[in-house]
Amino acid sequence: MAKAKQAKEKKAAKPAVAKYYNYIGGEWVKSSSGEWFDNVNPANTSDIVGRFPKSNAADVDAAVASAAEAADRWRRTPAPKRAELLFNLAEIIRDNKDRYTQEMTREMGKVLKEAGGDVQEAIDCTYYTAGEGRRLHGFTTPAEMPNKFAMCVRQPVGLCGLITPFNFPMAIPSWKLIPALVCGNTVVIKSGEDVPLSALNLVKACEKAGIPKGVVNLVNGFGDAGAALVGHEDVRLISFTGSTNTGRIIAEQCARDNKIVSLEMGGKNAIIVMDDADIDNAVDGSLWGAFGTSGQRCTASSRLVVHKKIYKKFVAKLVERVKTLRVGNGLDPKTEVGPVIHEDAMQKILGYVHIGKEIDRATLAVGGNRAAKGDLKNGWFVEPTVFSDVAPGMRIEQEEIFGPVTSVIPFSTLDEAIKIVNGVKYGLSSAIYTQDVNNAFYAMQELYTGICYVNSATIGAEVHLPFGGTKATGNGHREAGTQVLDIFSEWKALYVDYSGKLQKAQIDEVEI
Ligand code: UN1
């Protein structure tokens, strides 16, 4: 009896798991299937952050229908008015930054400071991009006939499907959502299934900010919901951040349906450390670039290309520092490296460690195991790992690992280093540590990436500069900056003939 009572009390003491909903047409609704999925804390898998609707094609249909219905009113709302609501939104995100940060760390694992940076990036993006409501510049240009005026304006593209990843749970949705809205589009968001709360917080903030019903819609769920969105005939544009494989499938589908598609995919970023570099500064940058967000950034510094003259010293210093990194629950302010997102990710990363050791035959300088001491066994932790003596062409040097693993590669000349950095299929971010202005400018010219840093790591892009990469990283688009407007608006060329007669461009002779 006593036992049964105890068990009952234990059950009662366990807080009920919070339920969250889809946001469709301004209503918070469950999935039409009635199914749910759990949002699990990767640092402690017994902690269920919330229960979210597992959406299907019918939910996507409803969300698209609501976005389609809201489209004309929103597109006709003057852009400065749209922007006013977005400024409200920025303030709401700012006021809730602490809560959003805590919730993000709990669902995604990244340490509190970095989760705070992620929310801050959403705030920065919202303020900066809302400013476009009073710009959205087009241009005028002379017409070739007399008494004729020519100009170009931006118009919205229409209904946008936004598919976002787990690693920047609020920043990346904001990179897509805010420019889509300021340009006058309505949207359906399918957020990463591992981090649904942060996107939901952003959407709730949109509701509070007064963005009209139907303009922003959110469906939670997995790849099948994403596929339904990509395949929906009323969706005009897909903006996707995630793996290169999924991106390729999306691009193929969008090509068949003649949809606009903007893709932000993998990276295999490298830092060059010259023999004239400030080594301690380069080690600091390498640690931050390789192990920040547990290496789960498209911009992570997963290769360190180090001059032979300083190679030994650099590796020794790096390894010493890696040994001191505190791996743990991101909610503990002392933690420096949090968990990875889920078990499959951990297994994939450990699989690459195996490849590095057994197939590539590189030297495992430090790390290489699951970290599972004490409480860590309740989550998905990988030791910060460094391979040295890595050569160009090895699999760990070529393939995206998306975890806390970096490779040190020796080189002799700057040209050789540049060839190594450029010798992968991706082209997102690169960096060089040097004190020599000639080296710095030569590297800036020759590194074929979308982002390049001098004397800092490959991570840390700011919202007012374009973000994106060359080659297999993307499909030629850039997010952030004003360049993102080219994704979410289309050019309309306007000709006004006030001559009062028929004038034929290219044909009529103009009298001089
Ligand atoms: C990503 O790596 O997926 O530049 C996004 C950075 C961040 C954004 C990274 N501001 O590292």
Side-chain angles (χ1 to χ4, degrees):
M1 275 302 270
K3 238 186 178 174
K5 199 175 160 211
Q6 260 178 11
K8 211 171 166 189
E9 271 171 9
K10 208 171 159 197
K11 205 173 167 197
K14 212 172 172 194
V17 176
K19 270 194 176 163
Y20 296 90
Y21 297 89
N22 288 339
Y23 186 61
I24 298 178
E27 307 290 331
W28 292 96
V29 294
K30 47 186 186 183
S31 161
S32 57
S33 71
E35 287 182 63
W36 301 86
F37 67 94
D38 285 347
N39 179 3
V40 180
N41 179 346
N44 172 10
T45 54
S46 62
D47 177 26
I48 308 298
V49 181
R51 203 146 276 164
F52 288 75
K54 189 169 176 300
S55 310
N56 55 25
D59 302 309
V60 170
D61 280 350
V64 169
S66 118
E69 204 183 309
D72 279 343
R73 240 180 94 195
W74 184 243
R75 128 183 113 70
R76 291 183 186 129
T77 303
K81 281 279 156 211
R82 297 198 291 259
E84 268 174 37
L85 303 179
L86 297 176
F87 282 120
N88 291 347
L89 173 64
E91 270 156 38
I92 294 167
I93 308 173
R94 188 197 57 199
D95 293 347
N96 288 281
K97 181 175 170 184
D98 286 347
R99 177 166 67 84
Y100 294 165
T101 299
Q102 290 276 341
E103 291 182 348
M104 185 185 296
T105 293
R106 198 173 152 214
E107 71 173 346
M108 188 274 175
K110 66 167 92 174
V111 299
L112 282 174
K113 272 219 167 87
E114 289 185 36
D118 190 313
V119 178
Q120 188 58 45
E121 196 160 340
I123 298 168
D124 296 344
C125 168
T126 307
Y127 275 121
Y128 173 74
T129 314
E132 283 305 318
R134 288 189 183 270
R135 286 187 294 269
L136 282 180
H137 291 147
F139 60 91
T140 63
T141 185
E144 59 186 52
M145 311 307 290
N147 295 328
K148 189 175 169 190
F149 193 86
M151 61 187 160
C152 245
V153 298
R154 293 182 182 277
Q155 60 184 337
V157 297
L159 212 157
C160 300
L162 314 179
I163 303 178
T164 57
F166 78 84
N167 64 339
F168 277 79
M170 192 173 279
I172 292 182
S174 80
W175 290 2
K176 299 179 189 303
L177 174 67
I178 311 303
L181 295 181
V182 85
C183 287
N185 306 289
T186 58
V187 307
V188 176
I189 305 172
K190 205 302 269 173
S191 69
E193 59 267 22
D194 298 300
V195 292
L197 184 51
S198 296
L200 187 137
N201 282 336
L202 181 63
V203 169
K204 253 205 170 126
C206 289
E207 182 188 27
K208 245 186 157 173
I211 294 172
K213 289 179 195 308
V215 172
V216 177
N217 302 275
L218 174 72
V219 280
N220 292 280
F222 294 77
D224 53 337
L229 189 58
V230 172
H232 200 294
E233 60 174 359
D234 293 338
V235 173
R236 179 73 196 103
L237 174 149
I238 293 290
S239 170
F240 167 81
T241 299
S243 74
T244 298
N245 277 346
T246 307
R248 187 174 297 122
I249 296 167
I250 291 176
E252 283 168 4
Q253 168 89 38
C254 289
R256 274 196 295 276
D257 298 346
N258 195 28
K259 283 190 175 67
I260 301 167
V261 59
S262 133
L263 305 170
E264 198 56 64
M265 303 175 288
K268 190 69 188 174
N269 318 288
I271 298 177
I272 298 174
V273 185
M274 295 300 291
D275 50 343
D276 60 46
D278 173 337
I279 296 193
D280 290 325
N281 192 19
V283 169
D284 277 343
S286 302
L287 280 174
W288 172 229
F291 304 118
T293 327
S294 304
Q296 300 168 110
R297 295 195 188 210
C298 329
T299 49
S301 308
S302 64
R303 296 181 298 156
L304 310 172
V305 186
V306 181
H307 198 285
K308 275 189 177 144
K309 274 196 197 150
I310 53 152
Y311 176 78
K312 268 204 169 133
K313 198 168 160 191
F314 178 90
V315 172
K317 281 186 181 238
L318 181 73
V319 167
E320 264 332 291
R321 291 284 301 281
V322 169
K323 285 183 183 157
T324 69
L325 288 175
R326 279 173 204 254
V327 179
N329 191 326
L331 290 169
D332 176 348
K334 288 201 244 43
T335 296
E336 292 167 290
V337 181
V340 297
I341 192 67
H342 45 47
E343 185 175 12
D344 285 356
M346 184 185 76
Q347 296 303 356
K348 181 181 160 203
I349 296 160
L350 294 175
Y352 270 109
V353 172
H354 175 80
I355 290 168
K357 283 196 301 198
E358 305 301 330
I359 298 176
D360 292 335
R361 303 234 164 242
T363 306
L364 179 62
V366 63
N369 300 302
R370 175 175 183 184
K373 261 200 202 132
D375 286 348
L376 297 193
K377 67 177 174 312
N378 301 326
W380 314 120
F381 293 90
V382 178
E383 291 173 351
T385 301
V386 176
F387 277 103
S388 57
D389 306 323
V390 174
M394 288 181 177
R395 281 190 64 188
I396 53 168
E397 195 269 338
Q398 290 285 313
E399 298 174 23
E400 186 175 45
I401 299 174
F402 226 66
V405 179
T406 194
S407 293
V408 195
I409 308 154
F411 75 89
S412 308
T413 65
L414 178 54
D415 274 321
E416 188 191 339
I418 288 167
K419 205 169 156 209
I420 293 170
V421 177
N422 287 341
V424 292
K425 65 178 178 177
Y426 303 107
L428 182 52
S429 184
S430 58
I432 180 167
Y433 277 84
T434 179
Q435 308 280 20
D436 181 324
V437 70
N438 295 345
N439 288 340
F441 271 84
Y442 185 66
M444 285 192 276
Q445 172 187 293
E446 295 296 317
L447 291 170
Y448 185 45
T449 53
I451 306 168
C452 178
Y453 295 88
V454 175
N455 292 330
S456 71
T458 54
I459 68 177
E462 301 177 20
V463 300
H464 52 301
L465 279 77
F467 183 96
T470 61
K471 302 189 280 185
T473 294
N475 64 340
H477 293 284
R478 291 292 181 270
E479 299 194 289
T482 49
Q483 289 70 19
V484 70
L485 302 175
D486 288 333
I487 299 176
F488 290 103
S489 64
E490 284 189 290
W491 286 110
K492 183 186 269 176
L494 297 165
Y495 300 92
V496 184
D497 190 318
Y498 53 97
S499 68
K501 59 179 189 222
L502 174 64
Q503 300 196 92
K504 300 194 222 67
Q506 294 100 34
I507 293 170
D508 288 355
E509 282 292 336
V510 175
E511 271 180 45
I512 300 172

